[in-house]
Amino acid sequence: MRRTRDEVDATLQIAKLNPAELLPAVQCLGFSPGASAAAGGDFCLLELEPALCQQLEAGCSMVIRGDKDEQAVLCSKDKTYDLKIADTSNMLLLIPGCKIPGQLKMEETHCNIIHTEIFGFSNNYWELRRCRPKLKKLKRLLMANTYEGPDSQKEKDSNYSKYTTEDLLDQIQASEEEIMAQLQVLNACEIEGYWRILEFDYEMKLLNHVTQLVDSESWSFTKVPLNICLQELGPLEPEEMIEHCLKCYGRRYTEEGEVYFELSADKICRATAQMLLQNAVKFNLAEFQEVWQQSVPEGMITRLEQLKGLALVDRQSRPEIIFLLKVDDLPEDNQERFNSLFSLREKWTEEDIAPYIQDLCGEKQTICALLTKYARSSMQNGVKVYNSRRPIS
């Protein structure tokens, strides 16, 4: 049954409401015959922050990503959000064509009744929480089939998996911009339409070709000409690999119409250190520093600061030692990351642990905030150190 105006006025009188203080138009809500609960699976409600809502209204798309064994995330073009179900004690009604007060003021100028049907209802909705992109899987997929050069037997074997950009978008829980940025961090390159990470030994082979050419030509590391590099090294390796190596270890710029690269001493020193450390469980620090300095191109200066997030120095051992500890190899989950670090070393200074937890910091979150949550501080020989809040097995 539909309400009449007299019934509406009677209801207002019972509620002790003054009709003069209300809009003249009245909306009477009623359930349609086909109204159903959102829990039935036909639809669900999603709460969006204003910026995301504006993107959708502008025609941008969003994607829900995740395998069956993963917690689903929603990705916009440049951000990733956790999807969480939020229950509410208030029933949420879905009313197509329902007019809000502002619309009623503009459209309804005389006293009337609008009968509106409720299409569905729900007691929960999906809410979004900004989260870090889940990018460990990206490296794991690409490292399963590294590129060892055009003549490698692996390139002739079709049993190894390869991934296009679309493949990665389907499998990685991150936005497209975040995935592309991480591919740059990993020094990945696109070869015949597939994203590949160079085998480290092959990457070092390319880098040695470049540094030896720079030395033989007496070039400055700040001004390495691209065209001459490609001409001289082209017979040894594919030109696209030579240029990729220059991009990984240098900054491209143009001067008087010629393309040059400014090679980074820090990146070259860091890669050289990784080459020396990867085959040694532990390395005497003093001996390592001597060999390391001798191994880098002449004119470059090695510093332990170049190894943050790559290697760890143990000052407590005698003699002092250094060993490989790559932040990329640590767990992605916050608690698992701290468990792994505290199982390796019971107490850490902030200076030592910072490179290994920096990537865990979210928006407006600091390293100090993370340490406060997951670690307990104390003083040791006048230095603040951190240990686990939980027992480590």
Side-chain angles (χ1 to χ4, degrees), residues 207 210-212 214-215 218-224 249-250 253 261-265 268 296-300:
L207 181 60
V210 171
T211 56
Q212 287 173 11
V214 171
D215 181 61
S218 298
W219 291 333
S220 166
F221 280 105
T222 63
K223 195 173 184 179
V224 179
Y249 291 93
Y253 67 96
F261 279 88
E262 179 184 356
L263 296 183
S264 167
I268 293 174
V296 300
E298 187 176 352
M300 292 189 178

mmCIF file with all atom_site columns, all heavy atoms in Angstrom, residues 207 210-212 214-215 218-224 249-250 253 261-265 268 296-300:
data_model
loop_
_atom_site.group_PDB
_atom_site.id
_atom_site.type_symbol
_atom_site.label_atom_id
_atom_site.label_alt_id
_atom_site.label_comp_id
_atom_site.label_asym_id
_atom_site.label_entity_id
_atom_site.label_seq_id
_atom_site.pdbx_PDB_ins_code
_atom_site.Cartn_x
_atom_site.Cartn_y
_atom_site.Cartn_z
_atom_site.occupancy
_atom_site.B_iso_or_equiv
_atom_site.pdbx_formal_charge
_atom_site.auth_seq_id
_atom_site.auth_comp_id
_atom_site.auth_asym_id
_atom_site.auth_atom_id
_atom_site.pdbx_PDB_model_num
ATOM 1   N N   . LEU A 1 207 ? 79.126 -5.118 -17.017 1.00 0.00 ? 207 LEU A N   1
ATOM 2   C CA  . LEU A 1 207 ? 79.700 -3.956 -16.328 1.00 0.00 ? 207 LEU A CA  1
ATOM 3   C C   . LEU A 1 207 ? 81.217 -3.914 -16.504 1.00 0.00 ? 207 LEU A C   1
ATOM 4   O O   . LEU A 1 207 ? 81.798 -2.834 -16.703 1.00 0.00 ? 207 LEU A O   1
ATOM 5   C CB  . LEU A 1 207 ? 79.329 -3.996 -14.843 1.00 0.00 ? 207 LEU A CB  1
ATOM 6   C CG  . LEU A 1 207 ? 79.838 -2.837 -13.982 1.00 0.00 ? 207 LEU A CG  1
ATOM 7   C CD1 . LEU A 1 207 ? 79.304 -1.506 -14.502 1.00 0.00 ? 207 LEU A CD1 1
ATOM 8   C CD2 . LEU A 1 207 ? 79.452 -3.038 -12.522 1.00 0.00 ? 207 LEU A CD2 1
ATOM 9   N N   . VAL A 1 210 ? 82.142 -2.477 -19.825 1.00 0.00 ? 210 VAL A N   1
ATOM 10  C CA  . VAL A 1 210 ? 81.990 -1.022 -19.852 1.00 0.00 ? 210 VAL A CA  1
ATOM 11  C C   . VAL A 1 210 ? 83.140 -0.332 -19.125 1.00 0.00 ? 210 VAL A C   1
ATOM 12  O O   . VAL A 1 210 ? 83.753 0.616  -19.648 1.00 0.00 ? 210 VAL A O   1
ATOM 13  C CB  . VAL A 1 210 ? 80.636 -0.601 -19.234 1.00 0.00 ? 210 VAL A CB  1
ATOM 14  C CG1 . VAL A 1 210 ? 80.558 0.919  -19.063 1.00 0.00 ? 210 VAL A CG1 1
ATOM 15  C CG2 . VAL A 1 210 ? 79.474 -1.089 -20.096 1.00 0.00 ? 210 VAL A CG2 1
ATOM 16  N N   . THR A 1 211 ? 83.434 -0.775 -17.899 1.00 0.00 ? 211 THR A N   1
ATOM 17  C CA  . THR A 1 211 ? 84.494 -0.110 -17.113 1.00 0.00 ? 211 THR A CA  1
ATOM 18  C C   . THR A 1 211 ? 85.864 -0.273 -17.760 1.00 0.00 ? 211 THR A C   1
ATOM 19  O O   . THR A 1 211 ? 86.698 0.642  -17.712 1.00 0.00 ? 211 THR A O   1
ATOM 20  C CB  . THR A 1 211 ? 84.521 -0.651 -15.672 1.00 0.00 ? 211 THR A CB  1
ATOM 21  O OG1 . THR A 1 211 ? 84.674 -2.082 -15.687 1.00 0.00 ? 211 THR A OG1 1
ATOM 22  C CG2 . THR A 1 211 ? 83.240 -0.279 -14.936 1.00 0.00 ? 211 THR A CG2 1
ATOM 23  N N   . GLN A 1 212 ? 86.123 -1.427 -18.392 1.00 0.00 ? 212 GLN A N   1
ATOM 24  C CA  . GLN A 1 212 ? 87.407 -1.620 -19.080 1.00 0.00 ? 212 GLN A CA  1
ATOM 25  C C   . GLN A 1 212 ? 87.518 -0.700 -20.293 1.00 0.00 ? 212 GLN A C   1
ATOM 26  O O   . GLN A 1 212 ? 88.592 -0.162 -20.588 1.00 0.00 ? 212 GLN A O   1
ATOM 27  C CB  . GLN A 1 212 ? 87.556 -3.078 -19.495 1.00 0.00 ? 212 GLN A CB  1
ATOM 28  C CG  . GLN A 1 212 ? 87.846 -4.019 -18.335 1.00 0.00 ? 212 GLN A CG  1
ATOM 29  C CD  . GLN A 1 212 ? 87.835 -5.478 -18.735 1.00 0.00 ? 212 GLN A CD  1
ATOM 30  O OE1 . GLN A 1 212 ? 87.802 -5.824 -19.910 1.00 0.00 ? 212 GLN A OE1 1
ATOM 31  N NE2 . GLN A 1 212 ? 87.867 -6.372 -17.732 1.00 0.00 ? 212 GLN A NE2 1
ATOM 32  N N   . VAL A 1 214 ? 85.985 2.231  -20.580 1.00 0.00 ? 214 VAL A N   1
ATOM 33  C CA  . VAL A 1 214 ? 86.198 3.575  -20.026 1.00 0.00 ? 214 VAL A CA  1
ATOM 34  C C   . VAL A 1 214 ? 87.665 3.776  -19.681 1.00 0.00 ? 214 VAL A C   1
ATOM 35  O O   . VAL A 1 214 ? 88.261 4.833  -19.967 1.00 0.00 ? 214 VAL A O   1
ATOM 36  C CB  . VAL A 1 214 ? 85.308 3.794  -18.781 1.00 0.00 ? 214 VAL A CB  1
ATOM 37  C CG1 . VAL A 1 214 ? 85.690 5.094  -18.069 1.00 0.00 ? 214 VAL A CG1 1
ATOM 38  C CG2 . VAL A 1 214 ? 83.834 3.819  -19.161 1.00 0.00 ? 214 VAL A CG2 1
ATOM 39  N N   . ASP A 1 215 ? 88.280 2.752  -19.088 1.00 0.00 ? 215 ASP A N   1
ATOM 40  C CA  . ASP A 1 215 ? 89.686 2.844  -18.697 1.00 0.00 ? 215 ASP A CA  1
ATOM 41  C C   . ASP A 1 215 ? 90.604 2.926  -19.919 1.00 0.00 ? 215 ASP A C   1
ATOM 42  O O   . ASP A 1 215 ? 91.522 3.758  -19.975 1.00 0.00 ? 215 ASP A O   1
ATOM 43  C CB  . ASP A 1 215 ? 90.056 1.637  -17.835 1.00 0.00 ? 215 ASP A CB  1
ATOM 44  C CG  . ASP A 1 215 ? 91.500 1.689  -17.369 1.00 0.00 ? 215 ASP A CG  1
ATOM 45  O OD1 . ASP A 1 215 ? 91.859 2.645  -16.659 1.00 0.00 ? 215 ASP A OD1 1
ATOM 46  O OD2 . ASP A 1 215 ? 92.278 0.768  -17.732 1.00 0.00 ? 215 ASP A OD2 1
ATOM 47  N N   . SER A 1 218 ? 90.369 6.242  -21.562 1.00 0.00 ? 218 SER A N   1
ATOM 48  C CA  . SER A 1 218 ? 90.674 7.354  -20.640 1.00 0.00 ? 218 SER A CA  1
ATOM 49  C C   . SER A 1 218 ? 89.515 8.339  -20.536 1.00 0.00 ? 218 SER A C   1
ATOM 50  O O   . SER A 1 218 ? 89.707 9.563  -20.459 1.00 0.00 ? 218 SER A O   1
ATOM 51  C CB  . SER A 1 218 ? 91.950 8.091  -21.088 1.00 0.00 ? 218 SER A CB  1
ATOM 52  O OG  . SER A 1 218 ? 93.053 7.216  -21.063 1.00 0.00 ? 218 SER A OG  1
ATOM 53  N N   . TRP A 1 219 ? 88.273 7.784  -20.553 1.00 0.00 ? 219 TRP A N   1
ATOM 54  C CA  . TRP A 1 219 ? 87.095 8.633  -20.383 1.00 0.00 ? 219 TRP A CA  1
ATOM 55  C C   . TRP A 1 219 ? 86.879 8.950  -18.909 1.00 0.00 ? 219 TRP A C   1
ATOM 56  O O   . TRP A 1 219 ? 87.325 8.216  -18.021 1.00 0.00 ? 219 TRP A O   1
ATOM 57  C CB  . TRP A 1 219 ? 85.835 7.931  -20.914 1.00 0.00 ? 219 TRP A CB  1
ATOM 58  C CG  . TRP A 1 219 ? 85.798 7.754  -22.403 1.00 0.00 ? 219 TRP A CG  1
ATOM 59  C CD1 . TRP A 1 219 ? 86.400 8.520  -23.348 1.00 0.00 ? 219 TRP A CD1 1
ATOM 60  C CD2 . TRP A 1 219 ? 85.085 6.726  -23.108 1.00 0.00 ? 219 TRP A CD2 1
ATOM 61  N NE1 . TRP A 1 219 ? 86.114 8.049  -24.608 1.00 0.00 ? 219 TRP A NE1 1
ATOM 62  C CE2 . TRP A 1 219 ? 85.300 6.944  -24.492 1.00 0.00 ? 219 TRP A CE2 1
ATOM 63  C CE3 . TRP A 1 219 ? 84.286 5.653  -22.722 1.00 0.00 ? 219 TRP A CE3 1
ATOM 64  C CZ2 . TRP A 1 219 ? 84.761 6.126  -25.469 1.00 0.00 ? 219 TRP A CZ2 1
ATOM 65  C CZ3 . TRP A 1 219 ? 83.734 4.839  -23.687 1.00 0.00 ? 219 TRP A CZ3 1
ATOM 66  C CH2 . TRP A 1 219 ? 83.975 5.072  -25.049 1.00 0.00 ? 219 TRP A CH2 1
ATOM 67  N N   . SER A 1 220 ? 86.149 10.006 -18.672 1.00 0.00 ? 220 SER A N   1
ATOM 68  C CA  . SER A 1 220 ? 85.677 10.278 -17.316 1.00 0.00 ? 220 SER A CA  1
ATOM 69  C C   . SER A 1 220 ? 84.424 9.435  -17.074 1.00 0.00 ? 220 SER A C   1
ATOM 70  O O   . SER A 1 220 ? 83.606 9.247  -17.974 1.00 0.00 ? 220 SER A O   1
ATOM 71  C CB  . SER A 1 220 ? 85.341 11.760 -17.162 1.00 0.00 ? 220 SER A CB  1
ATOM 72  O OG  . SER A 1 220 ? 84.602 11.978 -15.977 1.00 0.00 ? 220 SER A OG  1
ATOM 73  N N   . PHE A 1 221 ? 84.279 8.932  -15.848 1.00 0.00 ? 221 PHE A N   1
ATOM 74  C CA  . PHE A 1 221 ? 83.079 8.148  -15.526 1.00 0.00 ? 221 PHE A CA  1
ATOM 75  C C   . PHE A 1 221 ? 81.821 9.013  -15.539 1.00 0.00 ? 221 PHE A C   1
ATOM 76  O O   . PHE A 1 221 ? 80.712 8.488  -15.527 1.00 0.00 ? 221 PHE A O   1
ATOM 77  C CB  . PHE A 1 221 ? 83.229 7.469  -14.163 1.00 0.00 ? 221 PHE A CB  1
ATOM 78  C CG  . PHE A 1 221 ? 84.054 6.218  -14.214 1.00 0.00 ? 221 PHE A CG  1
ATOM 79  C CD1 . PHE A 1 221 ? 85.359 6.212  -13.730 1.00 0.00 ? 221 PHE A CD1 1
ATOM 80  C CD2 . PHE A 1 221 ? 83.546 5.057  -14.754 1.00 0.00 ? 221 PHE A CD2 1
ATOM 81  C CE1 . PHE A 1 221 ? 86.123 5.066  -13.777 1.00 0.00 ? 221 PHE A CE1 1
ATOM 82  C CE2 . PHE A 1 221 ? 84.306 3.904  -14.804 1.00 0.00 ? 221 PHE A CE2 1
ATOM 83  C CZ  . PHE A 1 221 ? 85.613 3.901  -14.323 1.00 0.00 ? 221 PHE A CZ  1
ATOM 84  N N   . THR A 1 222 ? 82.018 10.318 -15.571 1.00 0.00 ? 222 THR A N   1
ATOM 85  C CA  . THR A 1 222 ? 80.856 11.216 -15.617 1.00 0.00 ? 222 THR A CA  1
ATOM 86  C C   . THR A 1 222 ? 80.420 11.520 -17.045 1.00 0.00 ? 222 THR A C   1
ATOM 87  O O   . THR A 1 222 ? 79.408 12.173 -17.248 1.00 0.00 ? 222 THR A O   1
ATOM 88  C CB  . THR A 1 222 ? 81.172 12.548 -14.909 1.00 0.00 ? 222 THR A CB  1
ATOM 89  O OG1 . THR A 1 222 ? 82.234 13.203 -15.608 1.00 0.00 ? 222 THR A OG1 1
ATOM 90  C CG2 . THR A 1 222 ? 81.580 12.313 -13.466 1.00 0.00 ? 222 THR A CG2 1
ATOM 91  N N   . LYS A 1 223 ? 81.181 11.023 -18.052 1.00 0.00 ? 223 LYS A N   1
ATOM 92  C CA  . LYS A 1 223 ? 80.841 11.337 -19.433 1.00 0.00 ? 223 LYS A CA  1
ATOM 93  C C   . LYS A 1 223 ? 81.233 10.165 -20.338 1.00 0.00 ? 223 LYS A C   1
ATOM 94  O O   . LYS A 1 223 ? 82.260 10.188 -21.006 1.00 0.00 ? 223 LYS A O   1
ATOM 95  C CB  . LYS A 1 223 ? 81.549 12.630 -19.868 1.00 0.00 ? 223 LYS A CB  1
ATOM 96  C CG  . LYS A 1 223 ? 81.002 13.238 -21.153 1.00 0.00 ? 223 LYS A CG  1
ATOM 97  C CD  . LYS A 1 223 ? 81.630 14.593 -21.429 1.00 0.00 ? 223 LYS A CD  1
ATOM 98  C CE  . LYS A 1 223 ? 81.019 15.251 -22.662 1.00 0.00 ? 223 LYS A CE  1
ATOM 99  N NZ  . LYS A 1 223 ? 81.602 16.581 -22.943 1.00 0.00 ? 223 LYS A NZ  1
ATOM 100 N N   . VAL A 1 224 ? 80.361 9.160  -20.341 1.00 0.00 ? 224 VAL A N   1
ATOM 101 C CA  . VAL A 1 224 ? 80.600 7.955  -21.140 1.00 0.00 ? 224 VAL A CA  1
ATOM 102 C C   . VAL A 1 224 ? 79.682 8.008  -22.364 1.00 0.00 ? 224 VAL A C   1
ATOM 103 O O   . VAL A 1 224 ? 78.450 7.972  -22.217 1.00 0.00 ? 224 VAL A O   1
ATOM 104 C CB  . VAL A 1 224 ? 80.314 6.681  -20.317 1.00 0.00 ? 224 VAL A CB  1
ATOM 105 C CG1 . VAL A 1 224 ? 80.549 5.440  -21.159 1.00 0.00 ? 224 VAL A CG1 1
ATOM 106 C CG2 . VAL A 1 224 ? 81.187 6.662  -19.065 1.00 0.00 ? 224 VAL A CG2 1
ATOM 107 N N   . TYR A 1 249 ? 73.567 1.406  -14.115 1.00 0.00 ? 249 TYR A N   1
ATOM 108 C CA  . TYR A 1 249 ? 74.672 1.935  -13.311 1.00 0.00 ? 249 TYR A CA  1
ATOM 109 C C   . TYR A 1 249 ? 74.993 3.401  -13.601 1.00 0.00 ? 249 TYR A C   1
ATOM 110 O O   . TYR A 1 249 ? 76.009 3.906  -13.135 1.00 0.00 ? 249 TYR A O   1
ATOM 111 C CB  . TYR A 1 249 ? 75.929 1.074  -13.529 1.00 0.00 ? 249 TYR A CB  1
ATOM 112 C CG  . TYR A 1 249 ? 75.793 -0.301 -12.926 1.00 0.00 ? 249 TYR A CG  1
ATOM 113 C CD1 . TYR A 1 249 ? 75.337 -1.374 -13.692 1.00 0.00 ? 249 TYR A CD1 1
ATOM 114 C CD2 . TYR A 1 249 ? 76.082 -0.519 -11.584 1.00 0.00 ? 249 TYR A CD2 1
ATOM 115 C CE1 . TYR A 1 249 ? 75.191 -2.631 -13.135 1.00 0.00 ? 249 TYR A CE1 1
ATOM 116 C CE2 . TYR A 1 249 ? 75.946 -1.775 -11.012 1.00 0.00 ? 249 TYR A CE2 1
ATOM 117 C CZ  . TYR A 1 249 ? 75.489 -2.824 -11.804 1.00 0.00 ? 249 TYR A CZ  1
ATOM 118 O OH  . TYR A 1 249 ? 75.336 -4.076 -11.231 1.00 0.00 ? 249 TYR A OH  1
ATOM 119 N N   . GLY A 1 250 ? 74.126 4.050  -14.354 1.00 0.00 ? 250 GLY A N   1
ATOM 120 C CA  . GLY A 1 250 ? 74.402 5.445  -14.664 1.00 0.00 ? 250 GLY A CA  1
ATOM 121 C C   . GLY A 1 250 ? 73.153 6.262  -14.912 1.00 0.00 ? 250 GLY A C   1
ATOM 122 O O   . GLY A 1 250 ? 72.030 5.762  -14.879 1.00 0.00 ? 250 GLY A O   1
ATOM 123 N N   . TYR A 1 253 ? 72.063 11.437 -20.067 1.00 0.00 ? 253 TYR A N   1
ATOM 124 C CA  . TYR A 1 253 ? 71.844 12.848 -20.361 1.00 0.00 ? 253 TYR A CA  1
ATOM 125 C C   . TYR A 1 253 ? 72.336 13.141 -21.782 1.00 0.00 ? 253 TYR A C   1
ATOM 126 O O   . TYR A 1 253 ? 73.065 12.345 -22.392 1.00 0.00 ? 253 TYR A O   1
ATOM 127 C CB  . TYR A 1 253 ? 72.534 13.753 -19.336 1.00 0.00 ? 253 TYR A CB  1
ATOM 128 C CG  . TYR A 1 253 ? 74.046 13.726 -19.354 1.00 0.00 ? 253 TYR A CG  1
ATOM 129 C CD1 . TYR A 1 253 ? 74.772 14.687 -20.069 1.00 0.00 ? 253 TYR A CD1 1
ATOM 130 C CD2 . TYR A 1 253 ? 74.762 12.759 -18.644 1.00 0.00 ? 253 TYR A CD2 1
ATOM 131 C CE1 . TYR A 1 253 ? 76.157 14.687 -20.083 1.00 0.00 ? 253 TYR A CE1 1
ATOM 132 C CE2 . TYR A 1 253 ? 76.141 12.737 -18.650 1.00 0.00 ? 253 TYR A CE2 1
ATOM 133 C CZ  . TYR A 1 253 ? 76.841 13.701 -19.373 1.00 0.00 ? 253 TYR A CZ  1
ATOM 134 O OH  . TYR A 1 253 ? 78.220 13.697 -19.379 1.00 0.00 ? 253 TYR A OH  1
ATOM 135 N N   . PHE A 1 261 ? 76.348 8.908  -20.545 1.00 0.00 ? 261 PHE A N   1
ATOM 136 C CA  . PHE A 1 261 ? 75.936 8.372  -19.255 1.00 0.00 ? 261 PHE A CA  1
ATOM 137 C C   . PHE A 1 261 ? 76.955 8.786  -18.192 1.00 0.00 ? 261 PHE A C   1
ATOM 138 O O   . PHE A 1 261 ? 78.163 8.727  -18.422 1.00 0.00 ? 261 PHE A O   1
ATOM 139 C CB  . PHE A 1 261 ? 75.842 6.844  -19.295 1.00 0.00 ? 261 PHE A CB  1
ATOM 140 C CG  . PHE A 1 261 ? 74.562 6.332  -19.898 1.00 0.00 ? 261 PHE A CG  1
ATOM 141 C CD1 . PHE A 1 261 ? 74.469 6.138  -21.264 1.00 0.00 ? 261 PHE A CD1 1
ATOM 142 C CD2 . PHE A 1 261 ? 73.455 6.068  -19.098 1.00 0.00 ? 261 PHE A CD2 1
ATOM 143 C CE1 . PHE A 1 261 ? 73.294 5.681  -21.835 1.00 0.00 ? 261 PHE A CE1 1
ATOM 144 C CE2 . PHE A 1 261 ? 72.282 5.611  -19.663 1.00 0.00 ? 261 PHE A CE2 1
ATOM 145 C CZ  . PHE A 1 261 ? 72.195 5.417  -21.022 1.00 0.00 ? 261 PHE A CZ  1
ATOM 146 N N   . GLU A 1 262 ? 76.420 9.218  -17.053 1.00 0.00 ? 262 GLU A N   1
ATOM 147 C CA  . GLU A 1 262 ? 77.263 9.485  -15.880 1.00 0.00 ? 262 GLU A CA  1
ATOM 148 C C   . GLU A 1 262 ? 77.171 8.274  -14.966 1.00 0.00 ? 262 GLU A C   1
ATOM 149 O O   . GLU A 1 262 ? 76.126 8.013  -14.370 1.00 0.00 ? 262 GLU A O   1
ATOM 150 C CB  . GLU A 1 262 ? 76.777 10.745 -15.149 1.00 0.00 ? 262 GLU A CB  1
ATOM 151 C CG  . GLU A 1 262 ? 77.582 11.062 -13.915 1.00 0.00 ? 262 GLU A CG  1
ATOM 152 C CD  . GLU A 1 262 ? 77.036 12.255 -13.143 1.00 0.00 ? 262 GLU A CD  1
ATOM 153 O OE1 . GLU A 1 262 ? 76.073 12.885 -13.620 1.00 0.00 ? 262 GLU A OE1 1
ATOM 154 O OE2 . GLU A 1 262 ? 77.568 12.542 -12.056 1.00 0.00 ? 262 GLU A OE2 1
ATOM 155 N N   . LEU A 1 263 ? 78.248 7.503  -14.898 1.00 0.00 ? 263 LEU A N   1
ATOM 156 C CA  . LEU A 1 263 ? 78.224 6.272  -14.112 1.00 0.00 ? 263 LEU A CA  1
ATOM 157 C C   . LEU A 1 263 ? 78.297 6.581  -12.622 1.00 0.00 ? 263 LEU A C   1
ATOM 158 O O   . LEU A 1 263 ? 79.005 7.495  -12.195 1.00 0.00 ? 263 LEU A O   1
ATOM 159 C CB  . LEU A 1 263 ? 79.378 5.356  -14.519 1.00 0.00 ? 263 LEU A CB  1
ATOM 160 C CG  . LEU A 1 263 ? 79.343 4.841  -15.963 1.00 0.00 ? 263 LEU A CG  1
ATOM 161 C CD1 . LEU A 1 263 ? 80.502 3.885  -16.221 1.00 0.00 ? 263 LEU A CD1 1
ATOM 162 C CD2 . LEU A 1 263 ? 78.013 4.137  -16.256 1.00 0.00 ? 263 LEU A CD2 1
ATOM 163 N N   . SER A 1 264 ? 77.557 5.800  -11.828 1.00 0.00 ? 264 SER A N   1
ATOM 164 C CA  . SER A 1 264 ? 77.486 6.008  -10.385 1.00 0.00 ? 264 SER A CA  1
ATOM 165 C C   . SER A 1 264 ? 78.559 5.170  -9.691  1.00 0.00 ? 264 SER A C   1
ATOM 166 O O   . SER A 1 264 ? 78.529 3.936  -9.748  1.00 0.00 ? 264 SER A O   1
ATOM 167 C CB  . SER A 1 264 ? 76.102 5.614  -9.861  1.00 0.00 ? 264 SER A CB  1
ATOM 168 O OG  . SER A 1 264 ? 76.101 5.531  -8.460  1.00 0.00 ? 264 SER A OG  1
ATOM 169 N N   . ALA A 1 265 ? 79.482 5.842  -9.015  1.00 0.00 ? 265 ALA A N   1
ATOM 170 C CA  . ALA A 1 265 ? 80.531 5.131  -8.280  1.00 0.00 ? 265 ALA A CA  1
ATOM 171 C C   . ALA A 1 265 ? 79.928 4.282  -7.165  1.00 0.00 ? 265 ALA A C   1
ATOM 172 O O   . ALA A 1 265 ? 80.371 3.156  -6.917  1.00 0.00 ? 265 ALA A O   1
ATOM 173 C CB  . ALA A 1 265 ? 81.535 6.129  -7.704  1.00 0.00 ? 265 ALA A CB  1
ATOM 174 N N   . ILE A 1 268 ? 78.471 1.027  -8.646  1.00 0.00 ? 268 ILE A N   1
ATOM 175 C CA  . ILE A 1 268 ? 79.520 0.114  -9.103  1.00 0.00 ? 268 ILE A CA  1
ATOM 176 C C   . ILE A 1 268 ? 80.251 -0.503 -7.910  1.00 0.00 ? 268 ILE A C   1
ATOM 177 O O   . ILE A 1 268 ? 80.526 -1.713 -7.883  1.00 0.00 ? 268 ILE A O   1
ATOM 178 C CB  . ILE A 1 268 ? 80.493 0.858  -10.035 1.00 0.00 ? 268 ILE A CB  1
ATOM 179 C CG1 . ILE A 1 268 ? 79.773 1.237  -11.335 1.00 0.00 ? 268 ILE A CG1 1
ATOM 180 C CG2 . ILE A 1 268 ? 81.720 0.000  -10.341 1.00 0.00 ? 268 ILE A CG2 1
ATOM 181 C CD1 . ILE A 1 268 ? 80.595 2.097  -12.281 1.00 0.00 ? 268 ILE A CD1 1
ATOM 182 N N   . VAL A 1 296 ? 87.591 -2.318 -7.440  1.00 0.00 ? 296 VAL A N   1
ATOM 183 C CA  . VAL A 1 296 ? 86.777 -1.320 -8.145  1.00 0.00 ? 296 VAL A CA  1
ATOM 184 C C   . VAL A 1 296 ? 87.661 -0.530 -9.109  1.00 0.00 ? 296 VAL A C   1
ATOM 185 O O   . VAL A 1 296 ? 88.889 -0.508 -8.968  1.00 0.00 ? 296 VAL A O   1
ATOM 186 C CB  . VAL A 1 296 ? 86.076 -0.357 -7.155  1.00 0.00 ? 296 VAL A CB  1
ATOM 187 C CG1 . VAL A 1 296 ? 85.156 -1.124 -6.230  1.00 0.00 ? 296 VAL A CG1 1
ATOM 188 C CG2 . VAL A 1 296 ? 87.095 0.449  -6.366  1.00 0.00 ? 296 VAL A CG2 1
ATOM 189 N N   . PRO A 1 297 ? 87.075 0.118  -10.127 1.00 0.00 ? 297 PRO A N   1
ATOM 190 C CA  . PRO A 1 297 ? 87.866 0.904  -11.076 1.00 0.00 ? 297 PRO A CA  1
ATOM 191 C C   . PRO A 1 297 ? 88.679 1.988  -10.377 1.00 0.00 ? 297 PRO A C   1
ATOM 192 O O   . PRO A 1 297 ? 88.275 2.527  -9.342  1.00 0.00 ? 297 PRO A O   1
ATOM 193 C CB  . PRO A 1 297 ? 86.799 1.520  -11.997 1.00 0.00 ? 297 PRO A CB  1
ATOM 194 C CG  . PRO A 1 297 ? 85.640 0.581  -11.914 1.00 0.00 ? 297 PRO A CG  1
ATOM 195 C CD  . PRO A 1 297 ? 85.644 0.075  -10.507 1.00 0.00 ? 297 PRO A CD  1
ATOM 196 N N   . GLU A 1 298 ? 89.812 2.295  -10.961 1.00 0.00 ? 298 GLU A N   1
ATOM 197 C CA  . GLU A 1 298 ? 90.698 3.299  -10.385 1.00 0.00 ? 298 GLU A CA  1
ATOM 198 C C   . GLU A 1 298 ? 89.981 4.648  -10.304 1.00 0.00 ? 298 GLU A C   1
ATOM 199 O O   . GLU A 1 298 ? 89.299 5.068  -11.235 1.00 0.00 ? 298 GLU A O   1
ATOM 200 C CB  . GLU A 1 298 ? 91.952 3.430  -11.258 1.00 0.00 ? 298 GLU A CB  1
ATOM 201 C CG  . GLU A 1 298 ? 93.012 4.339  -10.660 1.00 0.00 ? 298 GLU A CG  1
ATOM 202 C CD  . GLU A 1 298 ? 94.285 4.379  -11.495 1.00 0.00 ? 298 GLU A CD  1
ATOM 203 O OE1 . GLU A 1 298 ? 94.385 3.570  -12.449 1.00 0.00 ? 298 GLU A OE1 1
ATOM 204 O OE2 . GLU A 1 298 ? 95.155 5.214  -11.207 1.00 0.00 ? 298 GLU A OE2 1
ATOM 205 N N   . GLY A 1 299 ? 90.147 5.293  -9.170  1.00 0.00 ? 299 GLY A N   1
ATOM 206 C CA  . GLY A 1 299 ? 89.521 6.593  -8.958  1.00 0.00 ? 299 GLY A CA  1
ATOM 207 C C   . GLY A 1 299 ? 88.254 6.521  -8.128  1.00 0.00 ? 299 GLY A C   1
ATOM 208 O O   . GLY A 1 299 ? 87.780 7.545  -7.632  1.00 0.00 ? 299 GLY A O   1
ATOM 209 N N   . MET A 1 300 ? 87.693 5.329  -7.977  1.00 0.00 ? 300 MET A N   1
ATOM 210 C CA  . MET A 1 300 ? 86.483 5.167  -7.153  1.00 0.00 ? 300 MET A CA  1
ATOM 211 C C   . MET A 1 300 ? 86.885 4.813  -5.722  1.00 0.00 ? 300 MET A C   1
ATOM 212 O O   . MET A 1 300 ? 87.826 4.046  -5.508  1.00 0.00 ? 300 MET A O   1
ATOM 213 C CB  . MET A 1 300 ? 85.575 4.089  -7.729  1.00 0.00 ? 300 MET A CB  1
ATOM 214 C CG  . MET A 1 300 ? 84.946 4.467  -9.050  1.00 0.00 ? 300 MET A CG  1
ATOM 215 S SD  . MET A 1 300 ? 83.685 3.283  -9.591  1.00 0.00 ? 300 MET A SD  1
ATOM 216 C CE  . MET A 1 300 ? 83.131 4.062  -11.111 1.00 0.00 ? 300 MET A CE  1
#
